[in-house]
Amino acid sequence: MILQRRPFLKGIAAAFLVGLLRPVELLAATWNKTAFSAKTVMDAMMDAGYGGAADSTDIVLKVPDIAEDGSIVPVEVTSNIPGTVSMAIFAEKNPNPLVADFFFSDGAEPYVATHIKMAKTSTVRVAVKAGDKVYTTGKEIKVTIGGCGG
Amino acid sequence: MDNSMKMRAKMQGDVAEVKVLIKHVMETGLRKDKATGKLIPAHFINQVNATLNGKTVLDMQWGVAISQNPFFGFKIKGAKTGDKVAISAVDNLGTNFYGETVIS
């Protein structure tokens, strides 16, 4: 019995390791706490690596003009900039403007659709990284009922 | 696998369109509990990974401003019918979410 105890424990340990390590391996990059905690859109863009972005008409931002419910605002972005590697969405007047950052690899089109929360009427800004250059565009959305209140 | 994720992946020409819905409160940490007047702690999915046949195509970092029961859609070029799309997500409390589907 004592002889069999060691391999048994090793087996359990291995099973735990496999189970615990798997999600960590898949989610390679660390969550950018600094950028998500930034209070202004300028800081958030800087911290997320989109500082000094140049205005571009090659980013197609599809959003409603008016959002009746700020807790679900549909946002659809397509980048027509060749070599797009990532894009980030900002709601300029949210307490923390950075909403999400998307990193594209093999095969993914530079496109994303999602639903975001907006505290109040403000510009939704998208920043795109292509090579070592950054680009941006924005569009104002009128919010009738804010999405961050309690 | 739990049933917290709903996925659909469909070919549109040579591009696969993937749509995903995850059941999650996405609590901002800025709302007050009306009964107690205390802040409700933040609880939100912050990292999401999408793979095609086991290979990463999209990595996402989310903040608290992604809507409750998050929806997201993306497109994969060069995918084909029968390919497997999988989504792994984790929230700020370390809970993991997983879903997979086959492109139709």
Side-chain angles (χ1 to χ4, degrees):
Chain A
M1 197 61 205
I2 286 169
L3 283 173
Q4 284 165 1
R5 203 172 154 247
R6 194 51 40 188
F8 174 73
L9 286 175
K10 270 189 184 160
I12 289 201
F16 261 106
L17 278 176
V18 169
L20 290 172
L21 287 178
R22 203 167 138 263
V24 180
E25 279 175 300
L26 288 171
L27 305 166
T30 330
W31 190 64
N32 192 340
K33 196 179 174 192
T34 316
F36 281 103
S37 311
K39 305 261 188 253
T40 67
V41 69
M42 287 287 276
D43 287 350
M45 284 178 83
M46 199 64 85
D47 293 336
Y50 298 95
D55 282 327
S56 170
T57 51
D58 290 325
I59 306 165
V60 184
L61 176 55
K62 209 175 133 192
V63 292
D65 295 328
I66 299 173
E68 284 189 10
D69 182 355
S71 67
I72 310 174
V73 183
V75 175
E76 209 177 318
V77 192
T78 305
S79 167
N80 292 322
I81 300 166
T84 296
V85 289
S86 71
M87 59 168 68
I89 301 173
F90 305 84
E92 293 198 348
K93 287 186 184 160
N94 274 10
N96 304 117
L98 178 56
V99 175
D101 204 354
F102 303 88
F103 304 86
F104 306 99
S105 15
D106 297 318
E109 296 267 281
Y111 159 91
V112 78
T114 190
H115 296 164
I116 71 168
K117 294 176 200 164
M118 288 180 71
K120 52 181 131 179
T121 296
S122 89
T123 297
V124 164
R125 180 156 296 287
V126 172
V128 165
K129 196 178 288 172
D132 57 356
K133 292 219 166 75
V134 281
Y135 304 90
T136 185
T137 194
K139 212 169 180 181
E140 195 190 61
I141 304 181
K142 283 196 165 49
V143 176
T144 320
I145 305 165
C148 296
Chain B
M1 204 189 308
D2 54 38
N3 57 3
S4 58
M5 215 183 284
K6 275 186 190 153
M7 292 176 67
R8 190 180 296 164
K10 224 174 182 174
M11 289 307 296
Q12 301 281 352
D14 65 341
V15 173
E17 278 196 17
V18 187
K19 287 174 180 169
V20 184
L21 206 61
I22 312 175
K23 214 170 156 183
H24 200 283
V25 291
M26 296 301 285
E27 193 58 63
T28 60
L30 303 168
R31 288 194 324 135
K32 273 183 184 163
D33 184 324
K34 276 172 190 152
T36 63
K38 284 190 179 143
L39 283 177
I40 304 166
H43 185 199
F44 61 103
I45 292 175
N46 57 10
Q47 285 189 277
V48 187
N49 170 274
T51 60
L52 174 71
N53 297 328
K55 208 171 166 194
T56 293
V57 288
L58 180 60
D59 260 313
M60 292 165 257
Q61 295 198 7
W62 291 356
V64 295
I66 289 289
S67 299
Q68 186 180 35
N69 298 329
F71 160 81
F72 63 96
F74 59 100
K75 297 174 180 176
I76 315 167
K77 204 171 179 162
K80 48 189 191 307
T81 306
D83 283 354
K84 192 174 95 172
V85 179
I87 305 290
S88 303
V90 64
D91 68 21
N92 65 322
L93 304 181
T95 309
N96 288 290
F97 302 86
Y98 180 81
E100 59 179 48
T101 191
V102 168
I103 298 172
S104 63

PDB file of all heavy atoms in Angstrom, chain A residues 124-147:
ATOM      1  N   VAL A 124     -17.867  57.133 -29.544  1.00  0.00           N
ATOM      2  CA  VAL A 124     -17.261  55.812 -29.493  1.00  0.00           C
ATOM      3  C   VAL A 124     -16.061  55.874 -30.419  1.00  0.00           C
ATOM      4  O   VAL A 124     -16.185  56.286 -31.570  1.00  0.00           O
ATOM      5  CB  VAL A 124     -18.239  54.707 -29.934  1.00  0.00           C
ATOM      6  CG1 VAL A 124     -17.500  53.423 -30.246  1.00  0.00           C
ATOM      7  CG2 VAL A 124     -19.252  54.452 -28.841  1.00  0.00           C
ATOM      8  N   ARG A 125     -14.911  55.532 -29.890  1.00  0.00           N
ATOM      9  CA  ARG A 125     -13.672  55.643 -30.646  1.00  0.00           C
ATOM     10  C   ARG A 125     -13.091  54.256 -30.871  1.00  0.00           C
ATOM     11  O   ARG A 125     -13.157  53.391 -29.999  1.00  0.00           O
ATOM     12  CB  ARG A 125     -12.687  56.511 -29.853  1.00  0.00           C
ATOM     13  CG  ARG A 125     -11.344  56.718 -30.521  1.00  0.00           C
ATOM     14  CD  ARG A 125     -10.672  57.978 -30.039  1.00  0.00           C
ATOM     15  NE  ARG A 125     -11.427  59.176 -30.384  1.00  0.00           N
ATOM     16  CZ  ARG A 125     -11.507  59.682 -31.628  1.00  0.00           C
ATOM     17  NH1 ARG A 125     -10.872  59.102 -32.634  1.00  0.00           N
ATOM     18  NH2 ARG A 125     -12.227  60.766 -31.859  1.00  0.00           N
ATOM     19  N   VAL A 126     -12.569  54.050 -32.063  1.00  0.00           N
ATOM     20  CA  VAL A 126     -11.896  52.790 -32.368  1.00  0.00           C
ATOM     21  C   VAL A 126     -10.476  53.110 -32.784  1.00  0.00           C
ATOM     22  O   VAL A 126     -10.250  54.065 -33.523  1.00  0.00           O
ATOM     23  CB  VAL A 126     -12.627  52.026 -33.494  1.00  0.00           C
ATOM     24  CG1 VAL A 126     -11.818  50.822 -33.932  1.00  0.00           C
ATOM     25  CG2 VAL A 126     -13.999  51.591 -33.037  1.00  0.00           C
ATOM     26  N   ALA A 127      -9.532  52.350 -32.267  1.00  0.00           N
ATOM     27  CA  ALA A 127      -8.137  52.521 -32.659  1.00  0.00           C
ATOM     28  C   ALA A 127      -7.648  51.211 -33.259  1.00  0.00           C
ATOM     29  O   ALA A 127      -8.046  50.130 -32.820  1.00  0.00           O
ATOM     30  CB  ALA A 127      -7.292  52.904 -31.448  1.00  0.00           C
ATOM     31  N   VAL A 128      -6.829  51.343 -34.294  1.00  0.00           N
ATOM     32  CA  VAL A 128      -6.342  50.172 -35.018  1.00  0.00           C
ATOM     33  C   VAL A 128      -4.826  50.224 -35.084  1.00  0.00           C
ATOM     34  O   VAL A 128      -4.243  51.294 -35.285  1.00  0.00           O
ATOM     35  CB  VAL A 128      -6.940  50.149 -36.451  1.00  0.00           C
ATOM     36  CG1 VAL A 128      -6.182  49.183 -37.345  1.00  0.00           C
ATOM     37  CG2 VAL A 128      -8.415  49.798 -36.414  1.00  0.00           C
ATOM     38  N   LYS A 129      -4.219  49.063 -34.891  1.00  0.00           N
ATOM     39  CA  LYS A 129      -2.770  48.974 -35.038  1.00  0.00           C
ATOM     40  C   LYS A 129      -2.466  48.149 -36.279  1.00  0.00           C
ATOM     41  O   LYS A 129      -2.995  47.051 -36.451  1.00  0.00           O
ATOM     42  CB  LYS A 129      -2.152  48.317 -33.800  1.00  0.00           C
ATOM     43  CG  LYS A 129      -0.651  48.529 -33.694  1.00  0.00           C
ATOM     44  CD  LYS A 129      -0.081  47.903 -32.432  1.00  0.00           C
ATOM     45  CE  LYS A 129      -0.471  48.686 -31.190  1.00  0.00           C
ATOM     46  NZ  LYS A 129      -0.098  47.989 -29.948  1.00  0.00           N
ATOM     47  N   ALA A 130      -1.613  48.705 -37.157  1.00  0.00           N
ATOM     48  CA  ALA A 130      -1.191  47.990 -38.364  1.00  0.00           C
ATOM     49  C   ALA A 130       0.305  48.206 -38.499  1.00  0.00           C
ATOM     50  O   ALA A 130       0.750  49.334 -38.648  1.00  0.00           O
ATOM     51  CB  ALA A 130      -1.919  48.517 -39.588  1.00  0.00           C
ATOM     52  N   GLY A 131       1.067  47.129 -38.408  1.00  0.00           N
ATOM     53  CA  GLY A 131       2.520  47.258 -38.371  1.00  0.00           C
ATOM     54  C   GLY A 131       2.888  48.039 -37.122  1.00  0.00           C
ATOM     55  O   GLY A 131       2.409  47.730 -36.040  1.00  0.00           O
ATOM     56  N   ASP A 132       3.707  49.110 -37.288  1.00  0.00           N
ATOM     57  CA  ASP A 132       4.047  49.906 -36.102  1.00  0.00           C
ATOM     58  C   ASP A 132       3.288  51.234 -36.109  1.00  0.00           C
ATOM     59  O   ASP A 132       3.654  52.177 -35.420  1.00  0.00           O
ATOM     60  CB  ASP A 132       5.564  50.113 -36.004  1.00  0.00           C
ATOM     61  CG  ASP A 132       6.130  50.774 -37.258  1.00  0.00           C
ATOM     62  OD1 ASP A 132       5.353  50.987 -38.221  1.00  0.00           O
ATOM     63  OD2 ASP A 132       7.341  51.069 -37.273  1.00  0.00           O
ATOM     64  N   LYS A 133       2.224  51.312 -36.927  1.00  0.00           N
ATOM     65  CA  LYS A 133       1.438  52.546 -37.005  1.00  0.00           C
ATOM     66  C   LYS A 133       0.070  52.359 -36.350  1.00  0.00           C
ATOM     67  O   LYS A 133      -0.460  51.247 -36.311  1.00  0.00           O
ATOM     68  CB  LYS A 133       1.246  52.932 -38.475  1.00  0.00           C
ATOM     69  CG  LYS A 133       2.558  53.358 -39.143  1.00  0.00           C
ATOM     70  CD  LYS A 133       2.295  54.531 -40.071  1.00  0.00           C
ATOM     71  CE  LYS A 133       3.564  55.217 -40.494  1.00  0.00           C
ATOM     72  NZ  LYS A 133       4.309  54.431 -41.487  1.00  0.00           N
ATOM     73  N   VAL A 134      -0.481  53.476 -35.836  1.00  0.00           N
ATOM     74  CA  VAL A 134      -1.809  53.417 -35.215  1.00  0.00           C
ATOM     75  C   VAL A 134      -2.755  54.430 -35.851  1.00  0.00           C
ATOM     76  O   VAL A 134      -2.338  55.526 -36.228  1.00  0.00           O
ATOM     77  CB  VAL A 134      -1.744  53.630 -33.682  1.00  0.00           C
ATOM     78  CG1 VAL A 134      -1.307  52.367 -32.980  1.00  0.00           C
ATOM     79  CG2 VAL A 134      -0.828  54.787 -33.312  1.00  0.00           C
ATOM     80  N   TYR A 135      -4.002  54.001 -35.984  1.00  0.00           N
ATOM     81  CA  TYR A 135      -5.009  54.826 -36.647  1.00  0.00           C
ATOM     82  C   TYR A 135      -6.265  54.869 -35.781  1.00  0.00           C
ATOM     83  O   TYR A 135      -6.479  53.993 -34.945  1.00  0.00           O
ATOM     84  CB  TYR A 135      -5.357  54.229 -38.011  1.00  0.00           C
ATOM     85  CG  TYR A 135      -4.171  54.053 -38.909  1.00  0.00           C
ATOM     86  CD1 TYR A 135      -3.441  52.859 -38.893  1.00  0.00           C
ATOM     87  CD2 TYR A 135      -3.768  55.071 -39.760  1.00  0.00           C
ATOM     88  CE1 TYR A 135      -2.325  52.692 -39.703  1.00  0.00           C
ATOM     89  CE2 TYR A 135      -2.662  54.911 -40.585  1.00  0.00           C
ATOM     90  CZ  TYR A 135      -1.942  53.724 -40.554  1.00  0.00           C
ATOM     91  OH  TYR A 135      -0.849  53.561 -41.357  1.00  0.00           O
ATOM     92  N   THR A 136      -7.108  55.870 -36.015  1.00  0.00           N
ATOM     93  CA  THR A 136      -8.326  55.959 -35.214  1.00  0.00           C
ATOM     94  C   THR A 136      -9.474  56.619 -35.970  1.00  0.00           C
ATOM     95  O   THR A 136      -9.263  57.341 -36.949  1.00  0.00           O
ATOM     96  CB  THR A 136      -8.052  56.714 -33.891  1.00  0.00           C
ATOM     97  OG1 THR A 136      -9.232  56.688 -33.090  1.00  0.00           O
ATOM     98  CG2 THR A 136      -7.680  58.175 -34.139  1.00  0.00           C
ATOM     99  N   THR A 137     -10.666  56.340 -35.508  1.00  0.00           N
ATOM    100  CA  THR A 137     -11.860  57.033 -35.984  1.00  0.00           C
ATOM    101  C   THR A 137     -12.867  57.022 -34.842  1.00  0.00           C
ATOM    102  O   THR A 137     -12.738  56.242 -33.896  1.00  0.00           O
ATOM    103  CB  THR A 137     -12.436  56.370 -37.256  1.00  0.00           C
ATOM    104  OG1 THR A 137     -13.386  57.268 -37.836  1.00  0.00           O
ATOM    105  CG2 THR A 137     -13.144  55.072 -36.946  1.00  0.00           C
ATOM    106  N   GLY A 138     -13.866  57.906 -34.927  1.00  0.00           N
ATOM    107  CA  GLY A 138     -14.862  57.956 -33.850  1.00  0.00           C
ATOM    108  C   GLY A 138     -16.202  58.401 -34.378  1.00  0.00           C
ATOM    109  O   GLY A 138     -16.303  58.960 -35.466  1.00  0.00           O
ATOM    110  N   LYS A 139     -17.236  58.148 -33.615  1.00  0.00           N
ATOM    111  CA  LYS A 139     -18.592  58.524 -34.002  1.00  0.00           C
ATOM    112  C   LYS A 139     -19.392  58.752 -32.725  1.00  0.00           C
ATOM    113  O   LYS A 139     -19.294  57.961 -31.787  1.00  0.00           O
ATOM    114  CB  LYS A 139     -19.206  57.375 -34.807  1.00  0.00           C
ATOM    115  CG  LYS A 139     -20.180  57.824 -35.854  1.00  0.00           C
ATOM    116  CD  LYS A 139     -20.498  56.638 -36.750  1.00  0.00           C
ATOM    117  CE  LYS A 139     -21.469  56.997 -37.838  1.00  0.00           C
ATOM    118  NZ  LYS A 139     -21.772  55.831 -38.676  1.00  0.00           N
ATOM    119  N   GLU A 140     -20.178  59.842 -32.720  1.00  0.00           N
ATOM    120  CA  GLU A 140     -20.951  60.114 -31.505  1.00  0.00           C
ATOM    121  C   GLU A 140     -22.241  59.299 -31.467  1.00  0.00           C
ATOM    122  O   GLU A 140     -22.909  59.131 -32.478  1.00  0.00           O
ATOM    123  CB  GLU A 140     -21.293  61.601 -31.400  1.00  0.00           C
ATOM    124  CG  GLU A 140     -21.760  61.951 -29.980  1.00  0.00           C
ATOM    125  CD  GLU A 140     -22.351  63.345 -29.845  1.00  0.00           C
ATOM    126  OE1 GLU A 140     -23.365  63.638 -30.500  1.00  0.00           O
ATOM    127  OE2 GLU A 140     -21.790  64.126 -29.065  1.00  0.00           O
ATOM    128  N   ILE A 141     -22.541  58.792 -30.296  1.00  0.00           N
ATOM    129  CA  ILE A 141     -23.810  58.081 -30.086  1.00  0.00           C
ATOM    130  C   ILE A 141     -24.568  58.815 -28.993  1.00  0.00           C
ATOM    131  O   ILE A 141     -24.027  59.069 -27.907  1.00  0.00           O
ATOM    132  CB  ILE A 141     -23.589  56.612 -29.656  1.00  0.00           C
ATOM    133  CG1 ILE A 141     -22.723  55.877 -30.684  1.00  0.00           C
ATOM    134  CG2 ILE A 141     -24.927  55.901 -29.463  1.00  0.00           C
ATOM    135  CD1 ILE A 141     -22.470  54.425 -30.342  1.00  0.00           C
ATOM    136  N   LYS A 142     -25.823  59.166 -29.280  1.00  0.00           N
ATOM    137  CA  LYS A 142     -26.660  59.788 -28.257  1.00  0.00           C
ATOM    138  C   LYS A 142     -27.275  58.686 -27.406  1.00  0.00           C
ATOM    139  O   LYS A 142     -27.909  57.777 -27.932  1.00  0.00           O
ATOM    140  CB  LYS A 142     -27.774  60.609 -28.917  1.00  0.00           C
ATOM    141  CG  LYS A 142     -27.283  61.938 -29.459  1.00  0.00           C
ATOM    142  CD  LYS A 142     -28.444  62.867 -29.752  1.00  0.00           C
ATOM    143  CE  LYS A 142     -28.001  64.293 -29.942  1.00  0.00           C
ATOM    144  NZ  LYS A 142     -26.878  64.465 -30.860  1.00  0.00           N
ATOM    145  N   VAL A 143     -27.045  58.784 -26.104  1.00  0.00           N
ATOM    146  CA  VAL A 143     -27.569  57.755 -25.205  1.00  0.00           C
ATOM    147  C   VAL A 143     -28.725  58.344 -24.394  1.00  0.00           C
ATOM    148  O   VAL A 143     -28.570  59.357 -23.715  1.00  0.00           O
ATOM    149  CB  VAL A 143     -26.467  57.225 -24.261  1.00  0.00           C
ATOM    150  CG1 VAL A 143     -27.041  56.224 -23.264  1.00  0.00           C
ATOM    151  CG2 VAL A 143     -25.348  56.584 -25.060  1.00  0.00           C
ATOM    152  N   THR A 144     -29.900  57.718 -24.502  1.00  0.00           N
ATOM    153  CA  THR A 144     -31.082  58.217 -23.794  1.00  0.00           C
ATOM    154  C   THR A 144     -31.050  57.808 -22.328  1.00  0.00           C
ATOM    155  O   THR A 144     -31.267  58.615 -21.435  1.00  0.00           O
ATOM    156  CB  THR A 144     -32.368  57.696 -24.467  1.00  0.00           C
ATOM    157  OG1 THR A 144     -32.181  57.751 -25.884  1.00  0.00           O
ATOM    158  CG2 THR A 144     -33.561  58.551 -24.106  1.00  0.00           C
ATOM    159  N   ILE A 145     -30.782  56.522 -22.061  1.00  0.00           N
ATOM    160  CA  ILE A 145     -30.672  56.043 -20.682  1.00  0.00           C
ATOM    161  C   ILE A 145     -29.306  55.399 -20.521  1.00  0.00           C
ATOM    162  O   ILE A 145     -28.972  54.463 -21.240  1.00  0.00           O
ATOM    163  CB  ILE A 145     -31.773  55.005 -20.336  1.00  0.00           C
ATOM    164  CG1 ILE A 145     -33.160  55.582 -20.624  1.00  0.00           C
ATOM    165  CG2 ILE A 145     -31.652  54.561 -18.883  1.00  0.00           C
ATOM    166  CD1 ILE A 145     -34.260  54.538 -20.654  1.00  0.00           C
ATOM    167  N   GLY A 146     -28.505  55.920 -19.580  1.00  0.00           N
ATOM    168  CA  GLY A 146     -27.138  55.424 -19.395  1.00  0.00           C
ATOM    169  C   GLY A 146     -27.101  53.974 -18.949  1.00  0.00           C
ATOM    170  O   GLY A 146     -28.041  53.477 -18.341  1.00  0.00           O
ATOM    171  N   GLY A 147     -25.979  53.319 -19.272  1.00  0.00           N
ATOM    172  CA  GLY A 147     -25.869  51.888 -19.018  1.00  0.00           C
ATOM    173  C   GLY A 147     -25.027  51.516 -17.820  1.00  0.00           C
ATOM    174  O   GLY A 147     -24.741  50.356 -17.586  1.00  0.00           O
TER     175      GLY A 147
END
